[in-house]
Amino acid sequence: MTTSTVTAQTPAKASAPAAAPDPARAARRRRLTQWGFVAPAVVFMLLFFGYPLVRNVVMSFQHYTPKTFFTGEAPFNGTDNWSNVFQDALFGKALWHTLVFTAGSLVGQFCIGMALAVFFSRRFPLNGVLRSLILLPWLVPMVVSGIVWRRILDQDTGVLNSFLDTLGVGGGTPWLTSPEMALLSVILVNIWIGIPFNMVILYGGLQEIPKELHEAAALDGASAWRTFRSVTLPVLKPVITVVLVLGFMSTVKILDLILALTDGGPADATQTLGTLTYQNSFVQLDFGAGAVVGNVLILISAVFAVFYLRANRTEGK
Amino acid sequence: MAAHPPTASRRRWGSTVAGVLVLGVMLFPLYWMLNTALQPESGLLQVDPVPGSLDLSGFSKAISDQGGHLLTSLAVSLGAVAICLAISAPAAYGLARFGLRGSRTIVFGTLITQMVPGIVIANALYNSYVDLGLVNSYFGLMLADASLGIPFSIVLMRSFMVSIPGEVIEAAQIDGAGPVRTFTRVVLPMSRNSLITSGLFAFLFSWSDFMFALTLNTTDEVKPITLGIYQYIGAHVGDWGSVMAASVLSAVPAAVLLVLAQKYIAAGITGGSVK
């Protein structure tokens, strides 16, 4: 790259002398142009990800009231928010629900997604079409899926109960209206949403496995299940890790689906850290308390981020 | 079963039948959404398995109630896509080719951002938005929604641009093109597919966004369809026909994109997550 081209391509500095070959200056200018490509993204990410992270920590030590939005004053109050949140029985409940919701969703999504990935690895007519249409539940806005399922799961008029009625089992189940069932129902709907994503990634992973591996196992007389356990699963491990960690990331913070299905109820039975953050900040207008719960959510995510990055590193090799 | 070993082709069609059944179960809720939308009169009652006669009154009500919010979603999503691509395409190129000091840290940071819970961002953003006057503004929501696609797009496009042969870029430079022109005339056209994939996903992320719409708006001025439906169901619990019709309309972009741009969707799901 010559000095003149760089100068010509820097419109803002067009007046700079094109004929002065100063290598050090040219190099500096080249670096500057190159940083010009990256800088907007760095600034954007600092503003929209870095700053909120810091701000949430600060906010968790501030006292917010509805009045704050008129006066702009949010005095620092030490660890009051933290102790208030931790002493509230709802926090423990929400933490527990988050863990159950996340674990249940991941296990369900993964097992069914894996089964479908294996199924679609067989060759049969219309395989590609069916495989791509199955993606639809994942692409529809989550809040819309939640509302559709709310209709389906309605205790009296929902189609699931009338179907179960016809079978003579479990008609009239209060899927979303009883505290005992609601969390399970929300998990089941989230499993439905997550199956396509798990399936597509695992399917991709399965296609990468060399055919010879399975042929060798077959020659050794291994059964299909044995081959799956001893050949497929170990080879697929990096992909599995990525799927599970990404699934964790998107599940642990879920908000849309729960608000659409149950609004956190009944009797806080589906309140999670995500919905509790929202409730504290945007319903109670206590942003300090919301920030505390949000920070706990970040902490949990951070632990798993470590797993993700380790998985990524092995992927890259 | 084992009495007559099926011929290879029959076994294959057997799998197709099983596949159709699986698909039927997976897509049933979406079918039910459409079915309910076409039977508006059945409001609070049980819904017939298939619509006896097509009643489009739910749709016409949904369009008159929610049509504006669909347009808002469209405007916000297109704006978010534009912001997302304008910011992430140059960054992806810079991170892929320039060997800048700190590139690795930035890529690492990009991966990290995908783990920050949205509600945490909204929590802090709301307060800044109030100070900056960005609450209830199209631009504010576009910016927030762009944040959903930017890390994804940088990662996806960067992994593509790394694989552009160095000779092509050197050839452009020998022809006298500077970095900006090399980028716009050579790199961008070659990266067309990854640009389309990134844009598609930025659109879908933004179109599906509910959280920023819910938290960064306090009036009805800027209301995307996701928020519209959510509030609709609160106000019209009895009128499931219209709610479902609005839901169908909000799901149309996803369905259309899936059919028209299938390969980009598949590329986005695998590429954006594994790499």
Side-chain angles (χ1 to χ4, degrees), chain B residues 62-263:
Chain B
I63 288 173
S64 69
D65 290 348
Q66 300 282 332
H69 304 147
L70 280 167
L71 291 179
T72 301
S73 277
L74 190 65
V76 169
S77 300
L78 291 177
V81 170
I83 296 170
C84 172
L85 292 183
I87 287 183
S88 42
Y93 178 57
L95 293 172
R97 315 272 349 174
F98 291 159
L100 294 167
R101 201 184 303 157
S103 284
R104 284 179 60 115
T105 317
I106 296 171
V107 174
F108 184 81
T110 310
L111 291 171
I112 294 278
T113 60
Q114 290 176 310
M115 286 142 213
V116 184
I119 186 68
V120 170
I121 298 172
N123 221 25
L125 224 49
Y126 177 78
N127 287 275
S128 314
Y129 266 39
V130 170
D131 296 340
L132 297 168
L134 282 172
V135 178
N136 304 318
S137 80
Y138 278 90
F139 185 60
L141 191 55
M142 283 174 196
L143 276 177
D145 280 357
S147 77
L148 300 169
I150 282 177
F152 172 88
S153 300
I154 291 178
V155 170
L156 188 83
M157 287 194 269
R158 182 184 157 273
S159 68
F160 181 86
M161 287 170 180
V162 166
S163 65
I164 293 178
E167 296 86 41
V168 180
I169 288 164
E170 279 152 27
Q173 285 164 353
I174 289 167
D175 286 348
V180 174
R181 197 178 328 166
T182 307
F183 174 66
T184 54
R185 298 285 166 84
V186 180
V187 175
L188 281 187
M190 287 185 77
S191 316
R192 199 177 137 256
N193 281 359
S194 69
L195 273 168
I196 294 176
T197 306
S198 299
L200 263 177
F201 272 77
F203 183 87
L204 285 169
F205 290 155
S206 177
W207 184 272
S208 301
D209 167 62
F210 169 67
M211 202 202 48
F212 286 133
L214 177 70
T215 54
L216 299 179
N217 294 292
T218 51
T219 64
D220 286 350
E221 256 169 87
V222 184
K223 193 192 284 183
I225 185 69
T226 45
L227 184 57
I229 294 176
Y230 178 68
Q231 294 177 346
Y232 208 35
I233 191 183
H236 299 73
V237 191
D239 190 6
W240 278 103
S242 310
V243 173
M244 288 295 127
S247 302
V248 171
L249 294 174
S250 78
V252 163
V256 170
L257 291 179
L258 183 61
V259 173
L260 293 184
Q262 206 200 98
K263 75 169 181 179

Side-chain angles (χ1 to χ4, degrees), chain A residues 56 125 157 192 201 263 281 308, chain B residues 16 26 44 115 120 123 230 273:
Chain A
N56 255 277
T157 65
W192 173 77
I201 307 234
D263 258 322
S281 293
Y308 175 69
Chain B
T16 305
M26 279 301 288
L44 277 169
M115 286 142 213
V120 170
N123 221 25
Y230 178 68
S273 54

